[in-house]
Amino acid sequence: MNVVMKFGGSSVATIEKIQNVADIIIRKKKEASNIVVVVSAMGKTTNELISLSKQISKRPDTRELDQLMSTGEMVSASLLSMALIEKGHDAISMTGNKAGFRTKGIHTKSKIEDVKTKNLDQALSEGKVVVVAGFQGINERGDITTFGRGGSDTSAVALAAKLGFDCEIYTDVEGIYSVDPRRYKEAKKLDVLSFDEVMEMAHLGAKVIEPRSVELAKKYNVKVYIALNTADKKGTLITDGGNVLEKNVINNISVIEDVLLVSFNAHKKKLSDIFLKLAQRNINVDVISQSEETISFTSTNENEDIIAELFEEENISYNFRRDLSKVSVIGNAMRSQPGVAASVFKIFSENEIEFYQVSTSEISISYIIDKDKVDDVIRILAQEFNL
Amino acid sequence: MNVVMKFGGSSVATIEKIQNVADIIIRKKKEASNIVVVVSAMGKTTNELISLSKQISKRPDTRELDQLMSTGEMVSASLLSMALIEKGHDAISMTGNKAGFRTKGIHTKSKIEDVKTKNLDQALSEGKVVVVAGFQGINERGDITTFGRGGSDTSAVALAAKLGFDCEIYTDVEGIYSVDPRRYKEAKKLDVLSFDEVMEMAHLGAKVIEPRSVELAKKYNVKVYIALNTADKKGTLITDGGNVLEKNVINNISVIEDVLLVSFNAHKKKLSDIFLKLAQRNINVDVISQSEETISFTSTNENEDIIAELFEEENISYNFRRDLSKVSVIGNAMRSQPGVAASVFKIFSENEIEFYQVSTSEISISYIIDKDKVDDVIRILAQEFNL
């Protein structure tokens, strides 16, 4: 077995935690022929570096910001490699550049174009554990770039894809649950999920793994295993699906909070103009629905003032419904079982739960409801679908 | 005029100080066509990084330590470049690698083999101020290396040599003094010194600039100007000497403290054996002198226990004289004026100052005296030689 193991910032936040991670890697070495480790920056290092730069400029030069931020992962990679060496195991750390990450696109949000694995292959052939600084590479000008939010997950999946290794992402939760355990205590840890389900969950509010890295995993069919960073409990495997996934109708309930429902009346010819102006003001517009002359869309509470200002400028009457949540039920099997949407509707109706909007995708149904109804809805749905 | 400006850790210890440095560079831009800036890590960053590594290992892997330490200068270089850009000036930061520093030798103490200035030349031709992370380069394996103590001074001098620029080193003192002003208030700031004098001073206890960078400056005849990091006072110029230097017989008095004088009796055939064993125990041995059967050498107080242990193992009688200091008078003109040593001896004799050892080089004379006599000796010598 060959594996890329990824450890996030909270897993390497202190020297003691770095030592624990080293022990987990050493245990893994007994079963794995080749191990590449990807690490994030220690604890809150990245935020601290960004905060330093913000003292200099409200909008720091992004090329410089990339070079600044990249140091966080270099520090944790060096320290973890030192810890492995100190414990008697041959190891070597590599910057994103040295590990061969070539990127394109803009600074702070670069995309991985390729991974030139020559240095990695060499070190692995010498029996070394390679510890790679995540979240970073270099672009065609040789400048250091970073990958944005969840960048180290993306580094790990890209390496696994390129090397043909499995991918294990260690984090501070035990895996992926049917419902966020902080919301619903009886939530079940899921053994296996499909790429599509996890992407849908991430988009619909579940804080599990960046959709971007799952997308990459799907593209190259890299199995991704998500587990607690103590590596002593069974986690969740994300794969391309298959029969095992069809058994459950619904695998997960995810929630997005602080939803604002905006309703307004406008002539159709003015509609595109309004949505263009919302976009220019960086207002995220989620689900749009229409009945006769009334248009509704959802956004987030924090955008209330800007949206109000726009409608007043345009002299359009509008209405806000605040403190809403978006509850989504997600399951790969919805594709093949068309009755699911109907049965969810039935549950809402039987339990007299009012909803203001509903939207569906191929594998999910989302409801906009009052915030204070969310816990009830989760309980009812979880019991109904055995989550 | 083209210039390499170097700012040390205390000059970039805070965001406010980095802003001040940016302002100094911007003022310099009015007179300089091309500016390259070399920075050290912010304040005590390097020590903090080393301390992290020491929590993992007493002797951390040096390759990993180099990658770890190199991040300190990357951070300050990025932040300074951001500050310049924020103030409306085109700037770009570069790691040692990007700036072209190619090294050889062992990690943490690498030597600069060459500076490939292609990226630097390109950025300068675009009118940019280039901010280079000091103290670092890459070796023939593409691994990050560092240059050891005073490494950023060496980076600055090497760049100045390669680019044919002047070199200005900004620090927290106003320049080089005839005597350390904390020891002798009336000490004079020296306008000009020769490379040899500064090297001798650095070896003999003056904390001004690493001898290694002066050696490099001498080799490539790079004028080095040392000044306060507010850049508003005249500093000291270090050059290849010339007539101006001949005027003063003695330019400087330097002091090394905590000197231990060790005397012992041993047959000559055993001597080399003893000095070999001292070396194996990492004991620094400074001046060795001999009269009949008694051998004396100087070391530092902190080595007392190890030296005592060795002599007891070897069954050799020994004697320690503790709390001594080494006072050195240094001047380039000693080369051409042979009477200087005699006149210094005369001063010691007239003032009845007891000394335990004396040693000379081409441009210096050093005396081992009691610690509590140092201030008197400095005062007398400074007055005599008008320092």
Side-chain angles (χ1 to χ4, degrees):
Chain A
M1 166 204 195
N2 299 314
V3 65
V4 175
M5 303 171 84
K6 183 257 169 178
F7 294 89
S10 62
S11 306
V12 293
T14 63
I15 295 294
E16 198 190 342
K17 287 183 172 186
I18 288 174
Q19 303 275 21
N20 291 342
V21 167
D23 290 336
I24 291 168
I25 295 165
I26 291 165
R27 281 205 302 275
K28 177 67 70 173
K29 250 194 122 181
K30 288 175 191 155
E31 46 172 316
S33 318
N34 292 294
I35 298 182
V36 176
V37 181
V38 174
V39 284
S40 302
M42 292 172 75
K44 309 221 168 288
T45 306
T46 307
N47 287 342
E48 284 160 17
L49 291 169
I50 292 172
S51 145
L52 272 181
S53 73
K54 293 279 182 190
Q55 291 175 47
I56 288 173
S57 170
K58 278 184 194 161
R59 298 187 64 185
D61 182 84
T62 54
R63 178 194 176 278
E64 300 301 336
L65 190 58
D66 268 357
Q67 180 170 305
L68 181 72
M69 289 194 295
S70 72
T71 63
E73 281 73 16
M74 289 172 66
V75 166
S76 49
S78 298
L79 291 173
L80 178 55
S81 179
M82 276 179 198
L84 287 164
I85 294 167
E86 180 69 12
K87 289 171 191 285
H89 293 263
D90 210 359
I92 185 170
S93 76
M94 294 187 184
T95 62
N97 177 13
K98 179 98 178 173
F101 280 88
R102 300 292 173 264
T103 70
K104 59 179 177 180
I106 59 169
H107 277 289
T108 76
K109 286 171 189 167
S110 289
K111 308 281 179 206
I112 299 168
E113 181 146 78
D114 197 7
V115 190
K116 309 274 187 199
T117 59
K118 195 181 128 224
N119 289 333
L120 276 164
D121 294 338
Q122 174 67 26
L124 289 172
S125 74
E126 291 165 4
K128 287 178 173 134
V129 172
V130 185
V131 184
V132 176
F135 175 69
Q136 59 181 264
I138 59 163
N139 63 19
E140 64 283 4
R141 288 181 300 282
D143 289 332
I144 296 170
T145 54
T146 67
F147 307 161
R149 245 180 88 90
S152 292
D153 288 347
T154 312
S155 300
V157 173
L159 278 176
K162 188 80 186 187
L163 295 166
F165 286 16
D166 289 344
C167 185
E168 299 181 352
I169 293 183
Y170 293 88
T171 172
D172 48 8
V173 295
E174 282 187 29
I176 301 179
Y177 283 78
S178 57
V179 190
D180 183 343
R182 282 166 299 187
R183 288 194 173 275
Y184 181 64
K185 274 187 221 163
E186 290 82 25
K188 289 175 187 167
K189 188 167 60 191
L190 302 165
D191 288 341
V192 64
L193 281 168
S194 72
F195 296 125
D196 289 339
E197 283 173 315
V198 176
M199 276 194 276
E200 195 83 356
M201 284 163 62
H203 285 302
L204 293 173
K207 287 169 189 67
V208 282
I209 177 174
E210 277 298 303
R212 187 172 154 199
S213 50
V214 185
E215 211 168 334
L216 196 66
K218 183 185 176 186
K219 187 171 174 189
Y220 293 100
N221 198 15
V222 175
K223 282 181 196 142
V224 178
Y225 177 73
I226 297 185
L228 191 64
N229 55 20
T230 53
D232 55 0
K233 285 178 180 160
K234 201 183 171 204
T236 301
L237 184 69
I238 310 173
T239 78
D240 61 353
N243 288 332
V244 69
L245 298 171
E246 306 289 328
K247 285 180 194 161
N248 254 351
V249 171
I250 288 173
N251 265 320
N252 177 270
I253 304 172
S254 291
V255 179
I256 294 174
E257 290 187 328
D258 297 326
V259 172
L260 176 74
L261 182 68
V262 185
S263 305
F264 64 100
N265 294 302
H267 290 291
K268 274 182 185 165
K269 61 182 177 181
K270 241 203 145 175
L271 268 185
S272 65
D273 182 46
I274 298 223
F275 284 111
L276 181 67
K277 282 176 175 161
L278 286 165
Q280 283 163 346
R281 284 164 174 76
N282 281 317
I283 300 297
N284 66 313
V285 168
D286 195 9
V287 186
I288 302 171
S289 63
Q290 187 181 3
S291 68
E292 293 170 18
E293 283 288 280
T294 306
I295 311 293
S296 301
F297 68 88
T298 53
S299 186
T300 46
N301 284 344
E302 59 176 14
N303 292 327
E304 188 178 321
D305 292 347
I306 308 175
I307 296 171
E309 202 181 334
L310 174 67
F311 282 119
E312 273 150 34
E313 275 172 23
E314 300 287 323
N315 221 350
I316 291 172
S317 66
Y318 64 97
N319 180 51
F320 286 154
R321 194 180 284 274
R322 301 178 183 82
D323 292 326
L324 304 175
S325 294
K326 180 177 184 176
V327 177
S328 305
V329 291
I330 302 158
N332 218 27
M334 284 191 195
R335 275 190 232 275
S336 49
Q337 300 184 22
V340 177
S343 69
V344 178
F345 270 108
K346 196 175 158 210
I347 292 164
F348 270 75
S349 149
E350 280 175 1
N351 291 278
E352 293 176 359
I353 303 157
E354 192 182 8
F355 56 88
Y356 305 105
Q357 248 192 354
V358 62
S359 57
T360 60
S361 84
E362 215 182 356
I363 61 167
S364 71
I365 313 173
S366 302
Y367 293 83
I368 306 293
I369 61 172
D370 286 316
K371 186 183 173 181
D372 55 15
K373 296 275 170 58
V374 170
D375 287 344
D376 282 348
V377 169
I378 287 174
R379 189 179 37 79
I380 295 165
L381 289 171
Q383 284 168 357
E384 187 74 25
F385 291 104
N386 193 26
L387 296 178
Chain B
M1 164 204 196
N2 299 314
V3 64
V4 175
M5 305 171 82
K6 183 258 170 177
F7 294 89
S10 62
S11 306
V12 294
T14 64
I15 295 295
E16 199 191 340
K17 287 183 171 186
I18 287 174
Q19 303 276 21
N20 292 341
V21 167
D23 290 335
I24 291 167
I25 295 165
I26 291 165
R27 281 205 300 276
K28 176 68 73 177
K29 249 194 124 182
K30 288 174 190 156
E31 48 173 314
S33 317
N34 292 293
I35 298 181
V36 176
V37 181
V38 174
V39 285
S40 302
M42 293 172 75
K44 308 218 169 293
T45 306
T46 307
N47 288 341
E48 285 161 16
L49 290 169
I50 293 171
S51 144
L52 272 181
S53 73
K54 294 279 182 190
Q55 291 176 47
I56 288 172
S57 169
K58 278 183 194 163
R59 299 187 63 185
D61 182 82
T62 55
R63 179 196 176 277
E64 299 301 337
L65 190 56
D66 268 356
Q67 180 170 306
L68 182 70
M69 289 193 296
S70 72
T71 62
E73 281 73 17
M74 290 173 65
V75 166
S76 48
S78 297
L79 291 173
L80 178 55
S81 179
M82 275 179 200
L84 287 164
I85 294 167
E86 179 69 11
K87 288 171 192 286
H89 294 262
D90 210 0
I92 184 170
S93 76
M94 294 187 184
T95 63
N97 176 14
K98 179 98 180 174
F101 281 87
R102 300 291 173 265
T103 71
K104 58 179 177 181
I106 60 169
H107 277 289
T108 77
K109 287 172 189 165
S110 288
K111 307 281 181 208
I112 299 168
E113 181 146 78
D114 196 5
V115 190
K116 309 274 187 201
T117 59
K118 196 181 127 225
N119 290 333
L120 277 165
D121 294 339
Q122 173 67 29
L124 289 172
S125 76
E126 292 166 3
K128 287 177 174 140
V129 172
V130 185
V131 184
V132 176
F135 174 70
Q136 59 182 265
I138 59 162
N139 63 18
E140 66 282 5
R141 287 182 302 281
D143 287 333
I144 295 171
T145 54
T146 67
F147 306 161
R149 245 180 87 90
S152 292
D153 289 346
T154 311
S155 300
V157 173
L159 277 176
K162 188 79 187 188
L163 296 167
F165 287 15
D166 289 343
C167 185
E168 300 181 353
I169 293 183
Y170 292 88
T171 170
D172 48 6
V173 295
E174 284 187 26
I176 302 180
Y177 283 79
S178 57
V179 189
D180 184 341
R182 281 166 301 189
R183 286 193 174 277
Y184 181 62
K185 272 186 223 164
E186 289 81 24
K188 290 176 186 165
K189 188 168 60 191
L190 302 166
D191 288 341
V192 63
L193 282 167
S194 72
F195 296 125
D196 289 339
E197 283 174 315
V198 176
M199 275 192 277
E200 197 83 355
M201 285 163 61
H203 284 303
L204 293 172
K207 287 170 189 70
V208 283
I209 176 174
E210 279 297 304
R212 186 172 156 202
S213 50
V214 185
E215 210 168 335
L216 196 65
K218 184 187 176 185
K219 187 171 174 190
Y220 294 100
N221 197 15
V222 174
K223 282 182 196 138
V224 178
Y225 177 73
I226 297 187
L228 191 63
N229 55 23
T230 55
D232 54 0
K233 286 179 179 160
K234 201 184 171 202
T236 300
L237 184 69
I238 310 173
T239 78
D240 60 354
N243 288 333
V244 69
L245 298 171
E246 305 289 326
K247 286 180 194 161
N248 254 352
V249 171
I250 288 173
N251 264 321
N252 177 270
I253 304 172
S254 291
V255 179
I256 293 174
E257 292 188 323
D258 297 326
V259 172
L260 177 75
L261 182 69
V262 185
S263 306
F264 64 99
N265 293 301
H267 291 291
K268 277 186 184 161
K269 60 179 179 181
K270 244 208 143 173
L271 268 186
S272 66
D273 182 45
I274 299 234
F275 283 110
L276 181 68
K277 281 177 175 160
L278 286 165
Q280 284 164 348
R281 284 165 174 76
N282 281 316
I283 300 297
N284 65 313
V285 167
D286 194 7
V287 186
I288 303 171
S289 64
Q290 187 178 5
S291 68
E292 294 170 17
E293 285 287 280
T294 305
I295 311 292
S296 300
F297 67 88
T298 52
S299 185
T300 45
N301 284 344
E302 61 175 14
N303 292 326
E304 189 179 319
D305 291 348
I306 307 173
I307 296 171
E309 203 182 332
L310 173 65
F311 282 119
E312 271 150 33
E313 276 173 21
E314 299 288 323
N315 221 352
I316 291 172
S317 68
Y318 64 97
N319 181 49
F320 286 153
R321 194 179 284 273
R322 300 177 184 85
D323 291 328
L324 304 176
S325 293
K326 179 178 186 175
V327 177
S328 305
V329 290
I330 302 157
N332 217 27
M334 285 191 195
R335 274 191 233 274
S336 49
Q337 301 183 23
V340 178
S343 69
V344 179
F345 269 111
K346 197 176 157 211
I347 292 164
F348 271 75
S349 151
E350 279 176 0
N351 290 279
E352 292 177 355
I353 302 158
E354 192 181 9
F355 57 87
Y356 305 106
Q357 245 191 359
V358 63
S359 56
T360 60
S361 84
E362 216 183 353
I363 60 167
S364 72
I365 315 174
S366 302
Y367 294 83
I368 304 292
I369 62 172
D370 285 319
K371 186 184 174 180
D372 55 14
K373 296 275 170 55
V374 171
D375 288 342
D376 283 346
V377 168
I378 285 175
R379 190 180 36 78
I380 294 164
L381 289 171
Q383 283 166 359
E384 187 73 28
F385 291 104
N386 191 27
L387 295 177

